[in-house]
Amino acid sequence: MAEPGGSGGGAAPGAAAPDIDPDFEPQSRPRSCTWPLPRPELPAPEAGGAAEEGAGGAAAAAAAGPGRAEGARGAGGAAAAAAARKGGSRRNAWGNQSYAELISQAIESAPEKRLTLAQIYEWMVRSVPYFKDKGDSNSSAGWKNSIRHNLSLHSKFIKVHNEATGKSSWWMLNPEGGKSGKAPRRRAASMDNSSKLAKVRGKASKKKPSLQSAPEATADSPGSQFPKWPGSPSSRSNEDSDVWNTFRPRTSSNASTISARLSPIVTDQDDLHDEELLPSMVYSSASSNVPPTVTEELELIDGLNLMSPSSSVLSTQQSASGGQIQRDSSFSLRSPNAAGQTTTFGNSLFNPVDISLQSSVSHFSGPQTLEALLTPSSPPPRDVMMTQVDPVLPQTGSRMSGRTLLLLGGQATQSKMSSGNPRGKPAEQQAEPVGASVLPSTLPVVASPQNAGSVNSLKAPVSAAAAQSVQLGSPPLLSSASPAPLGLNQDRLPIDLDIDMYMENLECDMDYIINSELMDGEGLDFNFEPVLSTPSYPSTSQASNHTWVPS
DNA sequence: GCATTTAAACAGT
DNA sequence: ACTGTTTAAATGC
């Protein structure tokens, strides 16, 4: 590596004290990034590192190349063993920690246990003395490359798709694979099984795209073949669902990424609808270099509540949020075994996320409602539903239609996904976890001709449930909750019991809706309009369509 | 042979 | 330009 110090032998640039500790943390994270500090501290190497900084490895970097001398690195492999090596020389210019370890610490230090690549860089520069002066320009190239390499290489790091537009993925520690700290398996597996295969999915495919693009699609990642998917009329919706429940095509190897978005609330919706629906919300996500944290999210939500507690718009948004939450609850991780395989995990795996979700939920939606719905173990939210429903029931009518669409959309979406998912991933994997958790990102999305068509396929119980929740509509509470029951588990539909009571009403509405949808065919906005426009609330009108004015 | 670091080719946005 | 993935070489254990 560049580390010139290497030549000298001891050269420990980091001179000052404990490797990284000192600086680290400062900025942005209130949360005290509890450094695991797995590592025994360095015994303050004698080397007076200061000098290095300036000289920086730059020059060396280039020259050294592969054959880097690095006397320093006495302790070679066994990262695990690192702990042992307290004294003596540092393995690397910055200390005994390997890149992987540094990255792990960086991630752990983050409140949400996840960072983007850029943030990892940042952390390095901030927290590791050695990298302090290497944050920018050319000097960074080398170690950044190494960071990236490590992220990709080690299964202990998982990539989570970041919905925020233009943002790179989140990198998290693999709760599972991370156990031992480093799991070669992923790679090993692919290589072992068939270098050929690995090649195919990896470089081969990339290299001469002209040829490969097609072949890849076969067994492993058939999906790539499908052009996105014919479907949804609304371009936006396309992206939406795409993001949510599919692996990105970018590389066949995307097995390493988490498909469902973990990134909480802020992101996804924001990307797609913020500007249109919730201009006021945008703020939170942006600004800080720090990814949206739980607290931020909460705040955001609160803000919403404050802003317009009763507005239908709000409800819409919230429902969307709820959807996200749900989606977030399940995600897939790269599985060590099979190349393209993915494994899905319950939300329980990521405590932080989980918590954030729940808390946020409780915030904006009725107390138990969402939580109950979202929480697998929780009992059916019967009561809640009931109480909330009652008041609203009387109002069905036009409003219903709009809401219903939402539900239907959810349905439609699901069916779509299960039937033919673009990526070609095994139906079970995608359809089940993802589909279950999928929610209509927004009303508009739902209301597509195709979707409308799918309406027919709706099952009474499900639709009923959906409808019911829909009816509640006006109150954000319900709307947000509605999706949950649907997707979550029909098995857990004891709700139906209650629902039955309302079935009649629902049926009527459903018919109405179906009819209207069929009639219109396009079904784009029409559904929408009526609902929104039908104002019980003044604010509603604003909400209409995408052009509502932020209160 | 394994773990790491470093470099680099490539691909996707 | 940045982000990610993969290969490959070199080195130390």
Side-chain angles (χ1 to χ4, degrees):
Chain A
M1 64 151 23
E3 177 35 288
S7 63
D19 277 349
I20 317 168
D21 259 356
D23 314 271
F24 135 46
E25 133 121 72
Q27 310 167 338
S28 48
R29 348 228 98 118
R31 196 156 306 158
S32 86
C33 345
T34 56
W35 267 45
L37 269 201
R39 199 152 299 31
E41 248 0 301
L42 311 176
E46 59 272 15
E52 262 64 313
E53 309 250 327
R68 64 178 172 347
E70 261 341 322
R73 142 196 306 214
R85 106 194 57 179
K86 317 187 153 186
S89 52
R90 298 181 167 205
R91 204 167 34 153
N92 297 307
W94 55 88
N96 289 329
Q97 291 161 308
S98 66
Y99 278 117
E101 290 169 321
L102 288 176
I103 295 169
S104 296
Q105 290 179 357
I107 294 172
E108 284 175 10
S109 73
E112 294 203 353
K113 309 300 179 196
R114 67 178 188 192
L115 293 174
T116 62
L117 179 61
Q119 289 170 332
I120 292 173
Y121 292 157
E122 241 178 81
W123 184 92
M124 290 288 201
V125 172
R126 266 204 315 261
S127 309
V128 183
Y130 175 77
F131 295 109
K132 272 232 168 93
D133 61 332
K134 300 179 178 58
D136 52 349
S137 71
N138 316 320
S139 57
S140 63
W143 65 267
K144 286 184 177 178
N145 187 0
S146 292
I147 296 292
R148 290 194 302 270
H149 173 230
N150 275 268
L151 286 171
S152 291
L153 180 64
H154 300 291
S155 62
K156 73 195 263 185
F157 303 120
I158 56 177
K159 192 178 68 178
V160 179
H161 188 253
N162 184 347
E163 297 306 330
T165 53
K167 281 200 170 180
S168 59
S169 306
W170 294 116
W171 285 98
M172 303 178 72
L173 291 176
N174 184 340
E176 191 183 58
K179 60 169 90 174
S180 65
K182 137 171 237 198
R185 58 272 188 80
R186 172 169 66 93
R187 253 175 168 314
S190 63
M191 294 299 282
D192 292 349
N193 288 343
S194 60
S195 59
K196 192 205 303 187
L197 193 162
K199 272 188 180 176
V200 171
R201 37 178 224 112
K203 253 193 178 162
S205 61
K206 293 177 182 176
K207 278 201 171 167
K208 297 315 173 186
S210 57
L211 300 178
Q212 284 75 354
S213 56
E216 222 185 316
T218 58
D220 217 315
S221 59
S224 58
Q225 214 164 357
F226 305 127
K228 286 235 159 161
W229 35 312
S232 63
S234 72
S235 59
R236 295 189 309 168
S237 66
N238 248 349
E239 295 177 358
D240 249 10
S241 47
D242 196 19
V243 171
W244 290 349
N245 61 140
T246 66
F247 293 92
R248 311 220 75 229
R250 82 200 234 293
T251 304
S252 47
S253 63
N254 51 20
S256 63
T257 73
I258 288 175
S259 64
R261 32 164 305 165
L262 285 177
S263 48
I265 300 142
V266 180
T267 53
D268 194 11
Q269 289 301 334
D270 298 345
D271 300 352
L272 302 176
H273 312 289
D274 256 32
E275 294 158 355
E276 292 177 292
L277 297 178
L278 297 177
S280 60
M281 293 185 68
V282 179
Y283 60 82
S284 67
S285 61
S287 63
S288 66
N289 51 357
V290 178
T293 62
V294 174
T295 56
E296 287 174 326
E297 292 166 2
L298 291 177
E299 289 177 359
L300 182 155
I301 292 167
D302 284 347
L304 281 179
N305 283 336
L306 293 175
M307 287 170 59
S308 56
S310 62
S311 75
S312 64
V313 172
L314 202 173
S315 68
T316 301
Q317 178 59 27
Q318 286 187 341
S319 68
S321 300
Q324 282 192 347
I325 289 170
Q326 284 238 323
R327 269 184 242 98
D328 293 349
S329 64
S330 71
F331 56 90
S332 59
L333 295 178
R334 63 167 68 136
S335 95
N337 343 332
Q341 289 275 30
T342 61
T343 304
T344 62
F345 294 79
N347 49 10
S348 60
L349 287 180
F350 288 118
N351 289 334
V353 174
D354 197 12
I355 293 169
S356 67
L357 293 179
Q358 293 205 351
S359 59
S360 60
V361 169
S362 61
H363 259 279
F364 61 82
S365 69
Q368 326 81 339
T369 335
L370 265 192
E371 207 161 344
L373 292 175
L374 293 176
T375 306
S377 59
S378 65
R382 233 180 270 168
D383 304 344
V384 176
M385 296 288 282
M386 291 291 282
T387 53
Q388 292 183 346
V389 171
D390 282 336
V392 182
L393 275 180
Q395 302 180 357
T396 52
S398 60
R399 169 173 304 175
M400 243 311 269
S401 66
R403 291 290 174 180
T404 309
L405 276 185
L406 187 158
L407 293 176
L408 292 178
Q411 264 295 341
T413 304
Q414 255 186 313
S415 63
K416 185 190 300 174
M417 291 173 54
S418 61
S419 63
N421 56 31
R423 303 299 167 211
K425 289 291 178 185
E428 319 117 45
Q429 295 184 341
Q430 281 209 341
E432 290 279 356
V434 176
S437 61
V438 169
L439 293 180
S441 61
T442 60
L443 298 181
V445 174
V446 174
S448 66
Q450 295 180 349
N451 290 342
S454 65
V455 170
N456 296 333
S457 64
L458 290 176
K459 301 291 201 291
V462 174
S463 61
Q468 183 179 11
S469 58
V470 169
Q471 286 192 345
L472 310 177
S474 52
L477 308 175
L478 262 236
S479 62
S480 61
S482 63
L486 276 192
L488 262 185
N489 5 1
Q490 301 178 349
D491 26 307
R492 177 194 321 194
L493 270 173
I495 298 169
D496 291 357
L497 296 177
D498 295 332
I499 294 171
D500 289 348
M501 299 179 63
Y502 305 94
M503 284 298 285
E504 294 179 358
N505 292 334
L506 295 177
E507 286 180 353
C508 293
D509 293 336
M510 290 300 293
D511 289 345
Y512 168 83
I513 294 164
I514 293 172
N515 289 336
S516 62
E517 285 185 347
L518 293 177
M519 289 172 64
D520 283 359
E522 287 82 342
L524 294 176
D525 305 306
F526 79 102
N527 298 318
F528 215 171
E529 300 279 11
V531 176
L532 295 178
S533 61
T534 345
S536 296
Y537 318 82
S539 59
T540 311
S541 60
Q542 291 180 345
S544 75
N545 234 350
H546 310 288
T547 63
W548 63 292
V549 178
S551 54

mmCIF file of all heavy atoms in Angstrom, chain A residues 176-207:
data_model
loop_
_atom_site.group_PDB
_atom_site.id
_atom_site.type_symbol
_atom_site.label_atom_id
_atom_site.label_comp_id
_atom_site.label_asym_id
_atom_site.label_seq_id
_atom_site.Cartn_x
_atom_site.Cartn_y
_atom_site.Cartn_z
ATOM 1 N N GLU A 176 -26.139 -12.542 9.942
ATOM 2 C CA GLU A 176 -25.900 -13.961 9.939
ATOM 3 C C GLU A 176 -24.464 -14.287 9.607
ATOM 4 O O GLU A 176 -23.726 -14.829 10.404
ATOM 5 C CB GLU A 176 -26.776 -14.588 8.883
ATOM 6 C CG GLU A 176 -26.794 -16.061 8.989
ATOM 7 C CD GLU A 176 -27.619 -16.594 7.857
ATOM 8 O OE1 GLU A 176 -27.259 -16.304 6.711
ATOM 9 O OE2 GLU A 176 -28.607 -17.288 8.102
ATOM 10 N N GLY A 177 -24.133 -13.957 8.443
ATOM 11 C CA GLY A 177 -22.804 -14.297 7.976
ATOM 12 C C GLY A 177 -21.743 -13.571 8.758
ATOM 13 O O GLY A 177 -20.611 -13.996 8.843
ATOM 14 N N GLY A 178 -22.174 -12.513 9.308
ATOM 15 C CA GLY A 178 -21.194 -11.711 10.019
ATOM 16 C C GLY A 178 -20.666 -12.412 11.239
ATOM 17 O O GLY A 178 -19.706 -12.012 11.832
ATOM 18 N N LYS A 179 -21.291 -13.443 11.578
ATOM 19 C CA LYS A 179 -20.953 -14.101 12.827
ATOM 20 C C LYS A 179 -19.474 -14.292 13.008
ATOM 21 O O LYS A 179 -18.884 -13.802 13.929
ATOM 22 C CB LYS A 179 -21.628 -15.450 12.896
ATOM 23 C CG LYS A 179 -21.176 -16.327 11.757
ATOM 24 C CD LYS A 179 -21.642 -17.733 11.995
ATOM 25 C CE LYS A 179 -22.998 -17.952 11.391
ATOM 26 N NZ LYS A 179 -23.420 -19.306 11.479
ATOM 27 N N SER A 180 -18.927 -14.984 12.143
ATOM 28 C CA SER A 180 -17.524 -15.269 12.325
ATOM 29 C C SER A 180 -16.687 -14.083 11.899
ATOM 30 O O SER A 180 -15.521 -14.034 12.121
ATOM 31 C CB SER A 180 -17.141 -16.470 11.502
ATOM 32 O OG SER A 180 -17.295 -16.144 10.145
ATOM 33 N N GLY A 181 -17.334 -13.215 11.322
ATOM 34 C CA GLY A 181 -16.581 -12.052 10.899
ATOM 35 C C GLY A 181 -16.322 -12.132 9.429
ATOM 36 O O GLY A 181 -16.506 -11.210 8.699
ATOM 37 N N LYS A 182 -16.005 -13.249 8.987
ATOM 38 C CA LYS A 182 -15.773 -13.255 7.567
ATOM 39 C C LYS A 182 -16.141 -14.560 6.981
ATOM 40 O O LYS A 182 -15.774 -15.586 7.447
ATOM 41 C CB LYS A 182 -14.349 -12.972 7.384
ATOM 42 C CG LYS A 182 -13.813 -13.774 6.448
ATOM 43 C CD LYS A 182 -12.512 -13.299 6.196
ATOM 44 C CE LYS A 182 -12.474 -13.026 4.822
ATOM 45 N NZ LYS A 182 -11.792 -12.878 4.050
ATOM 46 N N ALA A 183 -16.878 -14.510 6.018
ATOM 47 C CA ALA A 183 -17.349 -15.747 5.436
ATOM 48 C C ALA A 183 -17.031 -15.808 3.973
ATOM 49 O O ALA A 183 -17.656 -15.179 3.162
ATOM 50 C CB ALA A 183 -18.846 -15.875 5.642
ATOM 51 N N PRO A 184 -16.108 -16.589 3.699
ATOM 52 C CA PRO A 184 -15.647 -16.763 2.337
ATOM 53 C C PRO A 184 -16.645 -17.515 1.504
ATOM 54 O O PRO A 184 -16.602 -17.490 0.316
ATOM 55 C CB PRO A 184 -14.389 -17.589 2.491
ATOM 56 C CG PRO A 184 -14.518 -18.271 3.810
ATOM 57 C CD PRO A 184 -15.392 -17.408 4.643
ATOM 58 N N ARG A 185 -17.470 -18.155 2.186
ATOM 59 C CA ARG A 185 -18.333 -19.096 1.467
ATOM 60 C C ARG A 185 -18.938 -18.555 0.231
ATOM 61 O O ARG A 185 -18.970 -19.179 -0.794
ATOM 62 C CB ARG A 185 -19.442 -19.584 2.344
ATOM 63 C CG ARG A 185 -20.297 -18.488 2.883
ATOM 64 C CD ARG A 185 -19.739 -17.970 4.164
ATOM 65 N NE ARG A 185 -20.650 -17.032 4.789
ATOM 66 C CZ ARG A 185 -21.647 -17.417 5.461
ATOM 67 N NH1 ARG A 185 -21.881 -18.648 5.454
ATOM 68 N NH2 ARG A 185 -22.382 -16.579 6.078
ATOM 69 N N ARG A 186 -19.471 -17.401 0.351
ATOM 70 C CA ARG A 186 -20.189 -16.902 -0.808
ATOM 71 C C ARG A 186 -19.336 -17.023 -2.043
ATOM 72 O O ARG A 186 -19.676 -17.600 -3.041
ATOM 73 C CB ARG A 186 -20.540 -15.461 -0.612
ATOM 74 C CG ARG A 186 -21.102 -14.870 -1.863
ATOM 75 C CD ARG A 186 -21.677 -13.547 -1.553
ATOM 76 N NE ARG A 186 -20.668 -12.616 -1.154
ATOM 77 C CZ ARG A 186 -20.075 -11.802 -1.996
ATOM 78 N NH1 ARG A 186 -20.365 -11.877 -3.250
ATOM 79 N NH2 ARG A 186 -19.191 -10.959 -1.585
ATOM 80 N N ARG A 187 -18.218 -16.423 -1.893
ATOM 81 C CA ARG A 187 -17.326 -16.446 -3.004
ATOM 82 C C ARG A 187 -16.864 -17.821 -3.332
ATOM 83 O O ARG A 187 -16.907 -18.266 -4.435
ATOM 84 C CB ARG A 187 -16.090 -15.701 -2.619
ATOM 85 C CG ARG A 187 -16.027 -14.466 -3.255
ATOM 86 C CD ARG A 187 -14.839 -13.767 -2.712
ATOM 87 N NE ARG A 187 -14.544 -12.638 -3.483
ATOM 88 C CZ ARG A 187 -14.523 -12.643 -4.745
ATOM 89 N NH1 ARG A 187 -14.787 -13.684 -5.324
ATOM 90 N NH2 ARG A 187 -14.247 -11.596 -5.428
ATOM 91 N N ALA A 188 -16.395 -18.422 -2.292
ATOM 92 C CA ALA A 188 -15.831 -19.736 -2.480
ATOM 93 C C ALA A 188 -16.818 -20.600 -3.228
ATOM 94 O O ALA A 188 -16.490 -21.275 -4.181
ATOM 95 C CB ALA A 188 -15.533 -20.364 -1.134
ATOM 96 N N ALA A 189 -17.998 -20.535 -2.752
ATOM 97 C CA ALA A 189 -19.018 -21.366 -3.351
ATOM 98 C C ALA A 189 -19.090 -21.137 -4.849
ATOM 99 O O ALA A 189 -18.995 -22.069 -5.626
ATOM 100 C CB ALA A 189 -20.362 -21.063 -2.720
ATOM 101 N N SER A 190 -19.212 -19.924 -5.160
ATOM 102 C CA SER A 190 -19.414 -19.648 -6.567
ATOM 103 C C SER A 190 -18.211 -20.137 -7.363
ATOM 104 O O SER A 190 -18.344 -20.753 -8.401
ATOM 105 C CB SER A 190 -19.601 -18.157 -6.787
ATOM 106 O OG SER A 190 -18.428 -17.491 -6.392
ATOM 107 N N MET A 191 -17.104 -19.862 -6.820
ATOM 108 C CA MET A 191 -15.921 -20.251 -7.546
ATOM 109 C C MET A 191 -15.809 -21.756 -7.618
ATOM 110 O O MET A 191 -15.575 -22.323 -8.664
ATOM 111 C CB MET A 191 -14.679 -19.693 -6.846
ATOM 112 C CG MET A 191 -14.633 -18.193 -6.895
ATOM 113 S SD MET A 191 -14.569 -17.606 -8.579
ATOM 114 C CE MET A 191 -12.838 -17.897 -8.920
ATOM 115 N N ASP A 192 -15.970 -22.344 -6.500
ATOM 116 C CA ASP A 192 -15.794 -23.783 -6.458
ATOM 117 C C ASP A 192 -16.747 -24.498 -7.386
ATOM 118 O O ASP A 192 -16.378 -25.318 -8.192
ATOM 119 C CB ASP A 192 -16.029 -24.283 -5.045
ATOM 120 C CG ASP A 192 -14.922 -23.773 -4.166
ATOM 121 O OD1 ASP A 192 -13.935 -23.259 -4.717
ATOM 122 O OD2 ASP A 192 -15.056 -23.886 -2.956
ATOM 123 N N ASN A 193 -17.936 -24.170 -7.178
ATOM 124 C CA ASN A 193 -18.954 -24.862 -7.944
ATOM 125 C C ASN A 193 -18.602 -24.867 -9.417
ATOM 126 O O ASN A 193 -18.593 -25.879 -10.063
ATOM 127 C CB ASN A 193 -20.299 -24.188 -7.772
ATOM 128 C CG ASN A 193 -20.815 -24.469 -6.398
ATOM 129 O OD1 ASN A 193 -20.332 -25.380 -5.734
ATOM 130 N ND2 ASN A 193 -21.766 -23.695 -5.959
ATOM 131 N N SER A 194 -18.385 -23.724 -9.849
ATOM 132 C CA SER A 194 -18.001 -23.666 -11.238
ATOM 133 C C SER A 194 -17.436 -22.304 -11.529
ATOM 134 O O SER A 194 -18.131 -21.334 -11.588
ATOM 135 C CB SER A 194 -19.197 -23.925 -12.117
ATOM 136 O OG SER A 194 -20.171 -22.954 -11.854
ATOM 137 N N SER A 195 -16.201 -22.324 -11.710
ATOM 138 C CA SER A 195 -15.578 -21.047 -12.022
ATOM 139 C C SER A 195 -16.268 -20.530 -13.261
ATOM 140 O O SER A 195 -16.451 -19.356 -13.454
ATOM 141 C CB SER A 195 -14.111 -21.258 -12.310
ATOM 142 O OG SER A 195 -13.986 -22.146 -13.395
ATOM 143 N N LYS A 196 -16.619 -21.478 -14.023
ATOM 144 C CA LYS A 196 -17.275 -21.109 -15.258
ATOM 145 C C LYS A 196 -18.512 -20.303 -14.970
ATOM 146 O O LYS A 196 -18.712 -19.212 -15.468
ATOM 147 C CB LYS A 196 -17.682 -22.365 -16.002
ATOM 148 C CG LYS A 196 -18.104 -22.014 -17.409
ATOM 149 C CD LYS A 196 -19.041 -23.017 -17.984
ATOM 150 C CE LYS A 196 -18.538 -24.411 -18.008
ATOM 151 N NZ LYS A 196 -19.397 -25.313 -18.707
ATOM 152 N N LEU A 197 -19.294 -20.889 -14.132
ATOM 153 C CA LEU A 197 -20.545 -20.238 -13.832
ATOM 154 C C LEU A 197 -20.265 -18.851 -13.276
ATOM 155 O O LEU A 197 -20.849 -17.856 -13.667
ATOM 156 C CB LEU A 197 -21.290 -21.044 -12.789
ATOM 157 C CG LEU A 197 -22.725 -20.599 -12.664
ATOM 158 C CD1 LEU A 197 -23.516 -21.679 -11.968
ATOM 159 C CD2 LEU A 197 -22.813 -19.299 -11.933
ATOM 160 N N ALA A 198 -19.366 -18.856 -12.366
ATOM 161 C CA ALA A 198 -19.034 -17.585 -11.742
ATOM 162 C C ALA A 198 -18.681 -16.585 -12.814
ATOM 163 O O ALA A 198 -19.137 -15.457 -12.811
ATOM 164 C CB ALA A 198 -17.858 -17.778 -10.803
ATOM 165 N N LYS A 199 -17.908 -17.037 -13.678
ATOM 166 C CA LYS A 199 -17.494 -16.146 -14.732
ATOM 167 C C LYS A 199 -18.677 -15.674 -15.515
ATOM 168 O O LYS A 199 -18.818 -14.506 -15.813
ATOM 169 C CB LYS A 199 -16.553 -16.863 -15.681
ATOM 170 C CG LYS A 199 -15.135 -16.737 -15.213
ATOM 171 C CD LYS A 199 -14.230 -17.282 -16.249
ATOM 172 C CE LYS A 199 -12.796 -17.159 -15.802
ATOM 173 N NZ LYS A 199 -11.906 -17.760 -16.748
ATOM 174 N N VAL A 200 -19.475 -16.595 -15.815
ATOM 175 C CA VAL A 200 -20.621 -16.241 -16.627
ATOM 176 C C VAL A 200 -21.389 -15.135 -15.974
ATOM 177 O O VAL A 200 -21.692 -14.130 -16.569
ATOM 178 C CB VAL A 200 -21.555 -17.434 -16.797
ATOM 179 C CG1 VAL A 200 -22.828 -16.972 -17.459
ATOM 180 C CG2 VAL A 200 -20.863 -18.497 -17.602
ATOM 181 N N ARG A 201 -21.676 -15.369 -14.710
ATOM 182 C CA ARG A 201 -22.507 -14.352 -14.119
ATOM 183 C C ARG A 201 -21.725 -13.099 -13.832
ATOM 184 O O ARG A 201 -22.236 -12.013 -13.857
ATOM 185 C CB ARG A 201 -23.161 -14.808 -12.843
ATOM 186 C CG ARG A 201 -22.354 -15.671 -12.002
ATOM 187 C CD ARG A 201 -23.173 -15.964 -10.796
ATOM 188 N NE ARG A 201 -22.357 -15.853 -9.656
ATOM 189 C CZ ARG A 201 -22.481 -14.937 -8.769
ATOM 190 N NH1 ARG A 201 -23.338 -14.037 -8.882
ATOM 191 N NH2 ARG A 201 -21.717 -14.885 -7.764
ATOM 192 N N GLY A 202 -20.526 -13.270 -13.625
ATOM 193 C CA GLY A 202 -19.730 -12.113 -13.295
ATOM 194 C C GLY A 202 -19.220 -11.375 -14.494
ATOM 195 O O GLY A 202 -19.951 -10.717 -15.197
ATOM 196 N N LYS A 203 -18.016 -11.511 -14.684
ATOM 197 C CA LYS A 203 -17.403 -10.719 -15.696
ATOM 198 C C LYS A 203 -17.844 -11.039 -17.082
ATOM 199 O O LYS A 203 -18.135 -10.189 -17.872
ATOM 200 C CB LYS A 203 -15.928 -10.927 -15.632
ATOM 201 C CG LYS A 203 -15.363 -9.702 -15.064
ATOM 202 C CD LYS A 203 -13.943 -9.662 -15.221
ATOM 203 C CE LYS A 203 -13.459 -8.381 -14.660
ATOM 204 N NZ LYS A 203 -12.105 -8.371 -14.397
ATOM 205 N N ALA A 204 -17.842 -12.265 -17.340
ATOM 206 C CA ALA A 204 -18.163 -12.667 -18.686
ATOM 207 C C ALA A 204 -19.359 -11.897 -19.176
ATOM 208 O O ALA A 204 -19.353 -11.333 -20.243
ATOM 209 C CB ALA A 204 -18.471 -14.151 -18.715
ATOM 210 N N SER A 205 -20.323 -11.912 -18.356
ATOM 211 C CA SER A 205 -21.543 -11.266 -18.792
ATOM 212 C C SER A 205 -21.297 -9.802 -19.032
ATOM 213 O O SER A 205 -21.796 -9.208 -19.948
ATOM 214 C CB SER A 205 -22.611 -11.431 -17.738
ATOM 215 O OG SER A 205 -22.193 -10.821 -16.553
ATOM 216 N N LYS A 206 -20.551 -9.251 -18.157
ATOM 217 C CA LYS A 206 -20.334 -7.815 -18.280
ATOM 218 C C LYS A 206 -19.463 -7.471 -19.459
ATOM 219 O O LYS A 206 -19.735 -6.580 -20.214
ATOM 220 C CB LYS A 206 -19.645 -7.317 -17.030
ATOM 221 C CG LYS A 206 -20.505 -7.417 -15.823
ATOM 222 C CD LYS A 206 -19.722 -6.974 -14.661
ATOM 223 C CE LYS A 206 -20.508 -7.094 -13.396
ATOM 224 N NZ LYS A 206 -19.695 -6.757 -12.259
ATOM 225 N N LYS A 207 -18.433 -8.166 -19.546
ATOM 226 C CA LYS A 207 -17.422 -7.757 -20.485
ATOM 227 C C LYS A 207 -17.919 -7.448 -21.846
ATOM 228 O O LYS A 207 -17.904 -6.338 -22.298
ATOM 229 C CB LYS A 207 -16.369 -8.817 -20.575
ATOM 230 C CG LYS A 207 -15.453 -8.631 -19.440
ATOM 231 C CD LYS A 207 -14.174 -9.271 -19.698
ATOM 232 C CE LYS A 207 -13.217 -8.872 -18.625
ATOM 233 N NZ LYS A 207 -12.063 -9.656 -18.640
#
